[in-house]
Amino acid sequence: MKRFLDLADLERDAVLDLLALAARLQKHPEPQALAGKILGMVFFNPSLRTLASFQAGMARLGGTSFVVTPGQGTWKLEHRLGAIMDGDRAEHVREGIPVLASYCDAFGIRAFAEGTDLAFDLAETQFNAMAATVNKPLINLESAVNHPCQALADWKTMDELGVPQRGKFVLSWVKHPRPLPLAVPAATLHMAAMRGMDVTVLRPDGFALPDAIMEKARRAAAASGGSVSETTDRAAAMKGATVLYAKEWGSTRFYGDVEGDSTLRSQLGDWQVDERWFANADQDCRFMHCLPVRRNVAVADHVLDGPRSVVLHEAHNRMPAQMAVLHRLLANSN
Ligand code: CP
């Protein structure tokens, strides 16, 4: 494996191998596996879990890491091609990214969607332009429409909890004060479909996931024996659900239109998960969320603190899942 950018780049068996490696590393640590190796990471957007779990995971494998957050103690980086750089951005990613990558053995990039042009974001234009300048093993730390590290950890979590492969997985839109990117919903939908689950996307009108994201998930489901559907009907979606995965995202009807999005979401006050959502779900239905989550906006305290919630389990699994990725990319490499 040379790059970890999208679970869809891997065969299902390769994902299962990564999950087995993650479990093995958890049970039988290899504190020297990556001795002498360096992971470099650039974060154009904030992080708690991704940053800390990669640094901790790299250290647990005997390697080391550095993190750059452009503009915080470093030059601000320009990413627009053809930009006339007479503003506050002193360096272009076309120099900055390959320079950073040249210092390490593997490199990771976090660069969220711009959120103004859906086609631009769906094409991963910004991430791909930077990725093209990196000639080292590369990891997607969350891009415009993907978060494969989160997806891998969530798959691991469901396996450990015994969530049936053909269980019903509901990915639901939930409230947030402002539009958030499509990366986690897109990656989560694809992951659950690839796992072979019966996936329902539950979302209000105006928040349908783009066709390209739905089609990608349907292809994964067709290959794994799962299914993908979507609805605005909460009761129908939650009937028999084994997982409710809550996520916030921006209106696709008003993509890049902050005012239009704001008006629409202001009418969606009842899209906060509480125990009533589980009335006709499987009695053991789990509540999942990638974090960070806004308490009593996206989900009520009693769900987040209750027995259904596995959010801390998911967050912890980021580390072993990523250790497997690092091991695959770097162990025994010259
Ligand atoms: N879930 C996730 O990626 O968390 P961070 O944004 O804190 O890294």
Side-chain angles (χ1 to χ4, degrees):
M1 194 167 83
K2 296 288 184 205
R3 292 186 159 201
F4 186 72
L5 305 182
D6 183 350
L7 278 198
D9 294 339
L10 304 177
E11 296 295 331
R12 194 171 182 281
D13 282 350
V15 176
L16 298 180
D17 284 349
L18 266 181
L19 293 168
L21 177 56
R24 192 188 90 203
L25 292 171
Q26 251 181 327
K27 202 168 179 185
H28 303 291
E30 295 184 19
Q32 294 301 318
L34 301 188
K37 303 290 186 187
I38 299 173
L39 170 69
M41 293 181 280
V42 63
F43 282 84
F44 288 92
N45 311 94
S47 171
L48 186 147
R49 278 145 291 276
T50 307
L51 189 157
S53 58
F54 262 111
Q55 288 202 296
M58 195 63 188
R60 285 180 185 278
L61 290 167
T64 189
S65 56
F66 67 81
V67 175
V68 170
T69 50
Q72 295 180 29
T74 67
W75 306 116
K76 285 188 181 175
L77 296 183
E78 175 62 75
H79 61 82
R80 292 171 300 156
L81 293 175
I84 298 169
M85 292 176 52
D86 57 359
D88 65 344
R89 298 182 179 215
E91 181 155 15
H92 202 281
V93 292
R94 290 186 65 78
E95 289 79 47
I97 296 296
V99 165
L100 291 172
S102 74
Y103 300 146
C104 54
D105 300 289
F107 194 64
I109 301 172
R110 167 168 282 199
F112 289 177
E114 294 207 337
T116 50
D117 179 339
L118 182 57
F120 180 93
D121 289 338
L122 285 172
E124 296 283 19
T125 313
Q126 191 176 332
F127 186 92
N128 288 344
M130 289 189 277
T133 71
V134 176
N135 65 355
K136 298 283 171 63
L138 180 64
I139 303 169
N140 181 345
L141 306 178
E142 187 172 340
S143 58
V145 289
N146 220 324
H147 198 355
C149 296
Q150 183 68 50
L152 187 65
D154 288 339
W155 188 325
K156 182 176 189 297
T157 302
M158 286 194 282
D159 285 356
E160 288 170 351
L161 293 169
V163 174
Q165 185 187 323
R166 283 305 304 266
K168 185 173 184 185
F169 185 100
V170 178
L171 168 66
S172 179
W173 185 89
V174 287
K175 273 198 306 182
H176 192 275
R178 59 185 173 79
L180 294 189
L182 296 166
V184 171
T188 302
L189 169 62
H190 176 266
M191 174 277 295
M194 191 179 190
R195 189 172 181 263
M197 305 186 77
D198 291 319
V199 189
T200 300
V201 180
L202 169 63
R203 44 64 180 178
D205 278 335
F207 290 84
L209 294 176
D211 289 345
I213 289 172
M214 295 299 292
E215 275 310 307
K216 180 178 170 184
R218 288 198 176 99
R219 284 194 299 276
S224 67
S227 65
V228 171
S229 61
E230 60 183 323
T231 183
T232 59
D233 183 337
R234 186 178 304 156
M238 288 301 295
K239 191 167 189 299
T242 49
V243 172
L244 171 61
Y245 196 112
K247 188 65 191 93
E248 312 82 347
W249 66 85
S251 166
T252 43
R253 182 181 297 160
F254 293 106
Y255 202 84
D257 173 355
V258 174
E259 200 175 318
D261 178 290
S262 173
T263 303
L264 188 55
R265 73 179 52 239
S266 69
Q267 301 158 16
L268 301 170
D270 68 336
W271 286 80
Q272 176 192 127
V273 177
D274 61 32
E275 188 56 31
R276 290 173 298 179
W277 283 46
F278 300 91
N280 63 353
D282 185 280
Q283 66 174 2
D284 294 326
C285 183
R286 309 288 186 164
F287 174 80
M288 300 181 75
H289 189 287
C290 66
L291 304 181
V293 69
R294 290 181 183 242
R295 283 176 171 260
N296 304 311
V297 175
V299 53
D301 276 345
H302 66 263
V303 173
L304 209 46
D305 296 330
R308 298 186 186 284
S309 176
V310 296
V311 299
L312 297 183
H313 192 150
E314 292 175 80
H316 175 74
N317 269 334
R318 295 292 306 277
M319 185 174 66
Q322 291 156 192
M323 286 168 70
V325 171
L326 291 166
H327 196 284
R328 208 45 113 230
L329 290 172
L330 288 174
N332 306 317
S333 65
N334 294 316

